[in-house]
């Protein structure tokens, strides 16, 4: 009678251990490698390895892999690895000033703790983000600092990191469904304060420009906008909302869409943009629609768009970086108390 596939995997590994082909302390092929070798799912290969761990043949080390246990040892062999920790940093882009400041801060605070770094730019590709996570896991990194791409849902690779309790901190995002470590700016309160400030200046018809609401950041910023109106008992006109789909932005059609939108609501008195890139699109569109200063709407943004006399919400990227590395260090020390930390922001109105 033919054995189940997971049994075949287990029998082959046992024979390799008994023959000395896999000596004590040797790294066993990963779940992914075994799945490819035997033509099975990773669930099957994972179950095979878990069974050998329970039998005492193997021992797992989080973030490093599965190793042959030294028989007679209660702790098993230590994997052949340096004591210095290696951290993977994955960011979606390096286009904005905030991206650059975050990477600078993360690198600096990791260097202070003498962590080695591996850095990957996913270029807003969820597939590249997943590939980077899998490659870094196979290399045995000790922890992850991830700024996820803007997509409708987080990829499975991030969810698996969280569920497997791999040391992980999400930067500028958080998972609503799964408890994990994350650090982000106070997106809700920042936008609420900004819109409250515009309302105090007498603006009522305020346009709202944002990428489509697909993640925790865009969701919180939209809710902050709504909260400012609701707190003062004012109606929210969603016809003044321009939500650009991610493909439009990534394909370079954002400026045309913003121009088209603002041409269709020329009676607005203020325009709020949820990021600096959209603020620059709006600024250029407004110069075309309102060539004279008189009658031109007040432009405002989340993050400094480097446009003179534009009020904006200032983040603290260095503090976000400091807290993120601190939370990762906590996990590397063996503690696991997932939580979200929120860093205050400041509404800046140029004098």
């Amino acid at each position: 009678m033919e054995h189940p596939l997971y049994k075949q995997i287990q029998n082959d590994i046992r024979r390799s251990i008994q023959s000395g082909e896999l000596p004590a302390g040797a790294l066993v092929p990963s779940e992914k490698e075994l799945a490819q070798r035997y033509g099975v799912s990773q669930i099957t290969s994972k179950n095979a390895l878990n069974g050998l761990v329970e039998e005492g043949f193997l021992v797992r080390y989080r973030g490093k892999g599965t190793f042959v246990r030294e028989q007679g040892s209660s702790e098993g062999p230590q994997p052949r690895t340096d004591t210095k920790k290696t951290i993977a940093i994955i960011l979606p882009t390096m286009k904005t000033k905030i991206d650059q400041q975050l990477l600078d801060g993360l690198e600096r605070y990791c260097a202070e703790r003498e962590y080695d770094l591996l850095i990957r730019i996913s270029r807003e590709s969820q597939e590249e983000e997943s590939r980077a996570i899998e490659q870094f896991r196979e290399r045995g990194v000790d922890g992850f600092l991830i700024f996820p791409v803007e997509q409708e849902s987080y990829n499975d690779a991030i969810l698996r990191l969280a569920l497997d309790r791999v040391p992980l901190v999400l930067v500028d995002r958080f998972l609503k469904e799964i408890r994990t470590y994350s650090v982000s700016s106070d997106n809700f309160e920042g936008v609420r304060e900004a819109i409250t400030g515009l309302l105090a200046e007498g603006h009522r018809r305020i346009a709202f420009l944002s990428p489509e609401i697909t993640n925790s950041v865009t969701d919180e910023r939209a809710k902050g906008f709504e909260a400012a109106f609701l707190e003062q008992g004012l109606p929210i006109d969603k016809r003044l909302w321009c939500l650009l789909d991610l493909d439009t932005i990534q394909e370079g059609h954002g400026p045309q869409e913003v121009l088209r939108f603002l041409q269709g609501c020329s009676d607005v008195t203020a325009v709020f943009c949820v990021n600096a890139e959209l603020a620059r699109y709006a600024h250029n569109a407004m110069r075309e629609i309102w060539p004279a200063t008189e009658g031109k709407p007040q432009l405002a943004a989340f993050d400094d768009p480097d446009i003179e006399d534009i009020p904006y919400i200032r983040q603290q990227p260095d503090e976000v970086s400091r807290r993120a590395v601190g939370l990762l260090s906590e996990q590397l020390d063996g503690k696991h108390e997932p939580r979200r930390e929120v860093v205050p922001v400041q509404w800046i109105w140029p004098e």
Side-chain angles (χ1 to χ4, degrees):
M1 181 177 175
E2 189 174 356
H3 291 298
L5 289 172
Y6 82 93
K7 286 286 188 182
Q8 292 181 35
I9 298 172
Q10 290 179 336
N11 290 339
D12 288 349
I13 293 176
R14 282 197 204 92
R15 279 194 292 269
S16 295
I17 294 172
Q18 291 163 356
S19 69
E21 183 183 344
L22 284 174
L27 177 64
V28 175
S30 69
E31 295 167 9
K32 183 177 180 180
E33 291 169 335
L34 289 171
Q36 292 173 343
R37 183 183 303 177
Y38 287 87
V40 299
S41 69
Q42 282 192 222
I43 295 176
T44 298
S45 58
K46 182 175 184 177
N47 287 338
L49 292 179
N50 285 342
L52 292 172
V53 169
E54 292 174 3
E55 293 177 25
F57 284 95
L58 305 177
V59 60
R60 286 185 183 276
Y61 290 94
R62 184 186 303 165
K64 295 181 174 64
T66 304
F67 297 80
V68 177
R69 181 188 291 274
E70 183 176 352
Q71 299 306 304
S73 168
S74 60
E75 296 184 357
Q78 293 296 319
R80 298 186 182 99
T81 181
D82 297 330
T83 57
K84 201 170 185 181
K85 303 295 186 184
T86 300
I87 307 303
I89 297 178
I90 303 175
L91 300 100
T93 175
M94 287 297 294
K95 292 189 299 184
T96 72
K97 186 182 296 184
I98 289 294
D99 296 331
Q100 295 159 13
Q101 291 172 333
L102 279 172
L103 179 57
D104 178 74
L106 293 172
E107 191 280 332
R108 182 156 34 85
Y109 289 113
C110 282
E112 286 181 3
R113 296 175 184 269
E114 299 186 343
Y115 295 154
D116 285 332
L117 293 183
L118 296 171
I119 300 171
R120 184 73 57 83
I121 308 300
S122 62
R123 292 174 175 79
E124 292 289 3
S125 166
Q126 196 170 75
E127 292 76 16
E128 182 59 31
E129 182 180 74
S130 296
R131 189 177 302 114
I133 291 171
E134 294 302 326
Q135 290 174 350
F136 285 144
R137 290 197 75 170
E138 290 176 5
R139 292 181 66 170
V141 301
D142 297 284
F144 287 82
L145 293 164
I146 301 179
F147 189 144
V149 301
E150 288 193 271
Q151 292 291 338
E152 293 184 9
S153 61
Y154 293 101
N155 69 50
D156 290 341
I158 290 180
L159 297 176
R160 283 198 298 273
L161 288 175
L163 293 171
D164 291 345
R165 291 196 174 189
V166 174
L168 163 70
V169 179
L170 297 181
V171 180
D172 203 43
R173 304 278 194 274
F174 65 94
L175 298 177
K176 295 181 180 179
E177 304 85 2
I178 300 175
R179 293 185 68 241
T180 189
Y181 286 85
S182 69
V183 181
S184 59
S185 294
D186 195 343
N187 297 294
F188 174 88
E189 184 57 32
V191 175
R192 191 200 67 79
E193 182 180 356
I195 301 305
T196 298
L198 290 173
L199 291 172
E201 293 288 319
H203 297 287
R204 291 296 181 270
R205 292 189 61 75
I206 304 174
F208 180 70
L209 273 60
S210 171
E212 58 184 319
I213 300 171
T214 59
N215 57 54
S216 59
V217 172
T218 48
D219 180 56
E220 287 189 317
R221 292 180 186 180
K223 287 178 178 176
F225 183 99
E226 293 174 331
F229 273 80
L230 294 174
E231 286 169 4
Q232 298 192 31
L234 297 172
I236 301 169
D237 188 351
K238 290 292 182 75
R239 292 174 298 179
L240 301 182
W241 284 37
C242 177
L243 304 181
L244 281 71
D245 66 71
L246 299 180
D247 289 339
T248 294
I249 296 173
Q250 291 171 6
E251 291 169 5
H253 303 310
Q256 301 96 302
E257 286 300 308
V258 170
L259 175 61
R260 180 194 59 76
F261 169 77
L262 290 177
Q263 285 173 331
C265 53
S266 57
D267 61 338
V268 298
T269 63
V271 177
F272 180 81
C273 303
V274 303
N275 60 43
E277 182 179 16
L278 289 180
R280 288 189 287 271
Y281 295 167
H283 177 67
N284 292 332
M286 288 163 60
R287 286 195 302 182
E288 183 172 336
I289 301 170
W290 295 277
T293 303
E294 185 178 352
K296 183 179 293 186
Q298 172 67 62
L299 180 62
F302 203 110
D303 291 332
D304 185 0
D306 288 325
I307 301 172
E308 189 175 359
D309 297 329
I310 298 299
Y312 66 94
I313 297 165
R314 178 189 291 163
Q315 299 191 68
Q316 299 186 69
D318 187 75
E319 178 64 11
V320 170
S321 299
R322 186 188 69 81
R323 293 198 194 187
V325 175
L327 291 178
L328 188 65
S329 178
E330 174 181 304
Q331 296 170 75
L332 293 171
D333 290 339
K335 189 175 180 181
H336 187 75
E337 296 180 2
R339 61 189 181 277
R340 180 190 178 202
E341 293 200 359
V342 178
V343 178
V345 297
Q346 185 178 9
W347 173 234
I348 304 295
W349 196 292
E351 297 180 0

